[in-house]
Amino acid sequence: DAKTTQPNSMESNEEEPVHLPCNHSTISGTDYIHWYLQLPSQGPEYVIHGLTSNVNNRMASLAIAEDRKSSTLILHRATLRDAAVYYCILRWGDTDKLIFGTGTRLQVFP
Amino acid sequence: DTAVSQTPKYLVTQMGNDKSIKCEQNLGHDTMYWYKQDSKKFLKIMFSYNNKELIINETVPNRFSPKSPDKAHLNLHINSLELGDSAVYFCASSSVGSPLHFGNGTRLTVT
């Protein structure tokens, strides 16, 4: 299973953009890049996913490098509610198996 | 309108006991999972079922036995509980290729 590498923690101030990086140098052509977040005492929650092209949804944007060896989750304006652990995960095609890494703990300051 | 619900939310028990955790989803998904999150917050898949059939079994001790009476339910029975079983157990569900929806977890403490 291809692995991902993320910084352990990041900090941001409220209303500033946040760029959460993820390296996945061993990604294969059929791996989708998924992002989930986990709030304290809750289960993980889907954020966004993509294959090759950049993706936008109401929660965030996903920027995927041209060689697909890295990606960045972008929160356009951080809020206190965005403080969570963010997981970058590679999911092969339609496989049901999500392999979680250690994630990035995002702190947001008022 | 909870999509994936687990019971109980907290479970405190002694070593050697047998306990069960229940999970139900009302999303019409075909696949359900059990994940374990240990004290270091590492999330690891344990099992997945698709339409009541076991698909993934990730070298979990056979003291853990999942049971899926129908595709909306996936229960986890644990025999002879050990201290190392203390963790948060998450149930999840999905359809093919769709994101996983997780429950809010069952915190199991074995004393």
Side-chain angles (χ1 to χ4, degrees):
Chain A
D1 299 311
K3 293 185 179 176
T4 62
T5 305
Q6 300 175 251
N8 287 335
S9 63
M10 290 186 67
E11 297 177 353
S12 175
N13 293 320
E14 227 179 344
E15 299 192 7
E16 287 183 354
V18 181
H19 290 233
L20 298 166
C22 180
N23 287 321
H24 27 79
S25 58
T26 59
I27 192 170
S28 71
T30 53
D31 283 335
Y32 284 78
I33 302 157
H34 284 247
W35 284 82
Y36 282 72
L37 66 85
Q38 187 174 21
L39 295 167
S41 302
Q42 293 192 25
E45 177 185 336
Y46 168 78
V47 179
I48 200 167
H49 77 281
L51 183 62
T52 56
S53 303
N54 294 344
V55 183
N56 299 300
N57 67 21
R58 63 175 180 82
M59 292 181 70
S61 296
L62 175 59
I64 301 173
E66 200 168 330
D67 63 5
R68 300 205 332 121
K69 292 182 185 297
S70 66
S71 61
T72 303
L73 179 70
I74 302 166
L75 308 179
H76 295 285
R77 289 182 66 194
T79 69
L80 296 178
R81 289 175 296 179
D82 292 326
V85 178
Y86 288 80
Y87 296 98
C88 169
I89 303 158
L90 299 183
R91 186 176 186 185
W92 177 74
D94 290 337
T95 184
D96 294 330
K97 192 172 169 180
L98 284 186
I99 308 294
F100 284 80
T102 53
T104 297
R105 180 173 297 279
L106 174 65
Q107 289 182 283
V108 180
F109 298 104
Chain B
D1 277 11
T2 305
V4 180
S5 59
Q6 303 178 220
T7 54
K9 187 170 181 178
Y10 299 97
L11 184 53
V12 181
T13 188
Q14 292 184 326
M15 279 196 305
N17 286 347
D18 303 338
K19 290 293 179 186
S20 293
I21 307 171
K22 295 186 177 181
C23 179
E24 176 181 5
Q25 55 97 2
N26 63 5
L27 297 166
H29 289 160
D30 296 322
T31 306
M32 295 185 72
Y33 315 76
W34 280 109
Y35 277 79
K36 177 181 179 181
Q37 188 165 42
D38 60 25
S39 58
K40 295 183 180 178
K41 304 298 184 184
F42 191 63
L43 262 166
K44 189 172 182 182
I45 190 168
M46 300 173 70
F47 302 103
S48 82
Y49 269 73
N50 181 274
N51 280 319
K52 304 193 295 177
E53 183 181 343
L54 180 65
I55 302 298
I56 295 172
N57 182 341
E58 286 289 309
T59 57
V60 176
N62 57 16
R63 296 182 296 104
F64 290 79
S65 52
K67 284 188 172 53
S68 181
D70 56 61
K71 72 174 193 176
H73 295 84
L74 181 62
N75 304 322
L76 184 65
H77 188 76
I78 315 170
N79 289 328
S80 303
L81 278 155
E82 300 177 357
L83 292 176
D85 297 332
S86 295
V88 181
Y89 292 84
F90 288 100
C91 177
S93 72
S94 74
S95 289
V96 173
S98 75
L100 270 64
H101 292 251
F102 285 81
N104 281 329
T106 296
R107 182 175 295 276
L108 171 65
T109 303
V110 182
T111 61

